[in-house]
Amino acid sequence: MTDSVQNMFTPHGIRPGWRMYAMAGLAVGAVALFSTAALGHLDPVNIVMLFPLAVLFSAARFGRGPAVFAAFLSVALFDFFFVAPHLTFAVGDLQYLLTFAVLLAVALITAELATKLKLQRDAAQLRERHTQALCEMGGELSAALTAAQIADITARYLRDGFGARARLLLPQGGGRFAGADDEPCDEALVERARQVIADPHGPHAAAPASGDMVLVPLRGPMQVRGVLAVEAGDKSDALSAGQLRLLETFAALIAIALERVHYIAIAQETQIEMASERLRNSLLGALSHDLRTPLTALVGLADALPLAGPPLPAAQAELAQGIREEALRTSALVGNLLDMARLQSGKVRLQREWQPLEDVVGASLQARARQLAGHRLRLDLPTDLPLMQIDAVLMERVFCNLLENAAKYTPGGGSIEIRARALDEAIQVVVADDGPGLPPGRTQELFAKFSRGQTESAMPGIGLGLAIVEAIIEAHGGTVRAENAITGGARFVLELPRGEPPALPQADS
């Protein structure tokens, strides 16, 4: 850190002390001593012109007060040493009164002008130090990668700048705050920080109370990122308006740095998640593809066992049937994994054709006939339902997964219903059951991959069926939601965009 940062909060002007008045008096005395030595060579008219030089020096070096003191002292010494009768303050010639008045006026005007120039010079130098300090701080903040580094840079600049102790208070959610320096915060400070965050322009923000800690909100481009708490080293003076403005400028730089670090962290997490997702989809795709062939062969071998020779005993036939069913179930799970990997990779292209909904539903019911055995089915598909432009294979997988899910969680003898209706902009299809329903508060979480209604459940499955349903429906430009029916059970509501089917060709008369 350069010397420009040092004392960058110093207020304009310096309070004159007795030493400055003494130095101004010495300057006037030096002029008087020189004039006394030169008295035989200079007329009093010329000598009187030397005293404004001492006043100008005092104004430029020490400020207004010492300069005014030097002006009056100059008149007094000129009268005492150079006006007859000498070594007295008596005036033998009244014309010297005009000389005294002119000398005093010139000295005072010189003192005022020199003082203003000094103040302007000090103000320009202070602004230059402020600008350089802001540039240096901004450069360091732009290289910071964590909130802790930003807190260290802030504390160092404010400590070296004007001896202040600074802390960054960052909201953690739920009304809680934590210091970026990992130091505990007292409850009174946290309460003030909450008030500043709630109302950044209110009376609690940057209150210049003497001896109190000043809280400046860190207003970023998107939102308030926290609070800058500053406790001045000298508690006897309140912060000036200029110092508060400089603190607010510092706070703006800190807020921008915090916001940049926040979005960098989000970008890094997103990149990691994307890379992990791609790796997982690749592994799932490769694993599913390699498992499909042996599972298909296992199902075929289980089917061939009863045909390989004489009829199997009942116990062995039951084992063969069990092997077949478990192989089919495992093959279905592997199929779900492979379908999910393909959908997530974006390699699946929809083969859209205009299809009647009842054909897709009928194919799904036939494919899941074994799982639906023992349940009551109710269909409400209007005959005037318009055609739908869908990928029939993928849409059949949607209904197969929903029907399998309903059959899995609905007790034997329960009812499963499929009904559809045409809306103004969409076709709505509802798959409902009268089972135990969905876990409250978690209806949308069920569509996440590997998410199940119950974490530990005896029901087979890995939690991909509904995720595949959502992916296929969204690929068609539709929406799906899960909810509990008022009369009990679960409802899955699909809405697919409604298009304009092609006109049927007219038969020749």
Side-chain angles (χ1 to χ4, degrees):
M1 189 180 301
T2 63
D3 295 336
S4 64
V5 182
Q6 303 297 327
N7 298 323
M8 59 186 168
F9 286 91
T10 303
H12 302 332
I14 301 175
R15 295 181 180 179
W18 65 269
R19 291 184 178 85
M20 295 183 181
Y21 285 95
M23 294 297 294
L26 288 175
V28 177
V31 171
L33 184 61
F34 171 79
S35 300
T36 302
L39 186 59
H41 305 281
L42 297 175
D43 293 333
V45 175
N46 295 324
I47 290 174
V48 76
M49 301 301 296
L50 299 176
F51 284 97
L53 296 176
V55 177
L56 179 62
F57 170 78
S58 301
R61 190 66 182 273
F62 309 119
R64 181 182 288 107
V68 173
F69 170 72
F72 283 97
L73 184 61
S74 298
V75 174
L77 292 182
F78 179 74
D79 180 21
F80 190 79
F81 289 105
F82 304 102
V83 176
H86 299 291
L87 302 179
T88 67
F89 290 105
V91 179
D93 189 351
L94 294 179
Q95 292 183 1
Y96 278 106
L97 295 177
L98 178 61
T99 303
F100 297 160
V102 172
L103 175 60
L104 183 60
V106 170
L108 291 176
I109 292 174
T110 302
E112 182 65 23
L113 293 177
T115 301
K116 287 184 177 179
L117 288 175
K118 179 180 181 298
L119 292 177
Q120 292 176 2
R121 180 202 66 190
D122 293 344
Q125 291 177 349
L126 188 62
R127 286 194 297 270
E128 181 182 0
R129 290 198 298 270
H130 290 173
T131 302
Q132 188 169 353
L134 289 172
C135 290
E136 292 177 4
M137 185 177 184
E140 291 197 34
L141 288 175
S142 65
L145 299 178
T146 64
Q149 293 178 351
I150 295 174
D152 291 340
I153 294 170
T154 302
R156 185 173 71 255
Y157 269 84
L158 294 183
R159 180 184 64 249
D160 295 341
F162 74 130
R165 182 175 179 268
R167 296 186 61 191
L168 295 183
L169 304 180
L170 307 180
Q172 302 297 311
R176 296 181 297 106
F177 280 81
D181 51 7
D182 295 330
E183 292 185 10
C185 305
D186 60 85
E187 189 57 36
L189 182 59
V190 169
E191 181 59 30
R192 284 191 60 190
R194 290 195 190 102
Q195 295 171 346
V196 170
I197 293 292
D199 187 8
H201 302 282
H204 299 283
S210 178
D212 196 4
M213 183 171 284
V214 177
L215 301 185
V216 184
L218 302 175
R219 290 189 288 266
M222 300 300 296
Q223 67 181 62
V224 179
R225 291 292 169 184
V227 173
L228 172 63
V230 179
E231 183 178 3
D234 185 5
K235 295 180 178 292
S236 60
D237 297 324
L239 294 177
S240 66
Q243 292 170 347
L244 288 176
R245 285 195 297 270
L246 189 59
L247 277 179
E248 290 175 353
T249 306
F250 277 1
L253 290 177
I254 296 167
I256 293 174
L258 287 172
E259 195 152 287
R260 176 182 56 81
V261 168
H262 171 73
Y263 286 114
I264 287 177
I266 291 179
Q268 290 176 342
E269 292 177 1
T270 303
Q271 288 180 347
I272 293 174
E273 290 177 0
M274 291 173 61
S276 301
E277 189 69 20
R278 287 195 296 267
L279 178 60
R280 182 166 62 179
N281 288 336
S282 299
L283 290 174
L284 289 178
L287 182 63
S288 303
H289 186 272
D290 290 341
L291 288 178
R292 242 183 175 182
T293 300
L295 286 172
T296 303
L298 185 61
V299 173
L301 292 174
D303 288 337
L305 277 177
L307 306 176
L312 295 175
Q316 295 179 1
E318 185 178 354
L319 288 175
Q321 183 63 24
I323 292 173
R324 181 180 184 278
E325 292 179 356
E326 289 301 318
L328 287 173
R329 186 179 67 83
T330 306
S331 180
L333 294 178
V334 170
N336 281 339
L337 287 173
L338 187 58
D339 290 343
M340 194 71 242
R342 288 175 176 172
L343 290 169
Q344 290 292 322
S345 65
K347 296 180 180 179
V348 176
R349 293 187 178 182
L350 300 182
Q351 303 296 326
R352 288 175 176 256
E353 295 180 356
W354 292 100
Q355 302 278 347
L357 179 63
E358 54 266 24
D359 288 355
V360 178
V361 173
S364 304
L365 292 174
Q366 183 177 1
R368 293 294 180 265
R370 184 175 59 86
Q371 290 89 342
L372 295 173
H375 294 83
R376 291 180 289 111
L377 294 176
R378 291 187 295 179
L379 300 179
D380 183 8
L381 305 177
T383 56
D384 58 347
L385 203 64
L387 297 178
M388 301 174 63
Q389 191 179 23
I390 55 178
D391 186 316
V393 175
L394 292 180
M395 197 57 61
E396 180 181 338
R397 173 56 62 88
V398 167
F399 288 107
C400 284
N401 287 350
L402 291 177
L403 289 171
E404 182 178 353
N405 191 72
K408 186 188 302 181
Y409 291 98
T410 303
S415 64
I416 298 175
E417 179 183 11
I418 301 178
R419 59 178 181 272
R421 61 172 178 155
L423 305 178
D424 294 336
E425 301 292 335
I427 302 296
Q428 185 185 83
V429 184
V430 178
V431 179
D433 59 61
D434 58 1
L438 305 173
R442 295 188 56 216
T443 53
Q444 291 307 117
E445 294 180 15
L446 298 177
F447 292 101
K449 288 183 293 185
F450 306 106
S451 176
R452 306 186 64 191
Q454 296 178 358
T455 306
E456 299 294 337
S457 175
M459 295 291 181
I462 57 175
L464 277 180
L466 294 181
I468 293 174
V469 168
E470 184 181 48
I472 294 175
I473 294 298
E474 289 181 350
H476 282 79
T479 61
V480 57
R481 68 178 186 272
E483 58 190 25
N484 285 312
I486 300 177
T487 57
R491 298 173 72 244
F492 291 89
V493 182
L494 316 177
E495 289 189 1
L496 294 166
R498 180 174 177 175
E500 286 292 334
L504 297 176
Q506 300 291 332
D508 296 335
S509 56

